[in-house]
Amino acid sequence: MLGNPKYKRGQFVRFEFDNEIMEGTIEIVDAYGTWADPSAVSYDILGLNDCFYKHVISSRTVCKRD
């Protein structure tokens, strides 16, 4: 939902990237859309492999609970 992200900066999440399930920490919350979809919330996530994933759509992200 535009302007209402599900997760906050610093949360540890699982997300889909290139048909793989990855894990990482949300570094940036973009609550006001992406280039591809101006109505979608996205996140920039620092993966466990020290790779930075940009514009991960909210619908492809789930909070990781252990």
Side-chain angles (χ1 to χ4, degrees):
M1 177 186 305
L2 184 61
N4 190 17
K6 292 191 289 185
Y7 309 112
K8 297 178 182 176
R9 185 178 186 272
Q11 279 189 283
F12 191 72
V13 294
R14 281 192 179 126
F15 59 100
E16 181 183 336
F17 186 83
D18 278 345
N19 296 318
E20 290 188 44
I21 301 299
M22 312 293 275
E23 295 180 336
T25 303
I26 295 175
E27 296 294 322
I28 297 171
V29 177
D30 185 357
Y32 300 102
T34 67
W35 295 323
D37 185 351
S39 66
V41 172
S42 72
Y43 305 99
D44 292 353
I45 301 172
L46 180 59
L48 292 179
N49 56 358
D50 289 330
C51 191
F52 198 61
Y53 299 89
K54 296 192 56 70
H55 306 294
V56 178
I57 302 291
S58 182
S59 63
R60 294 185 175 192
T61 309
V62 295
C63 187
K64 183 175 184 324
R65 301 179 205 283
D66 288 333

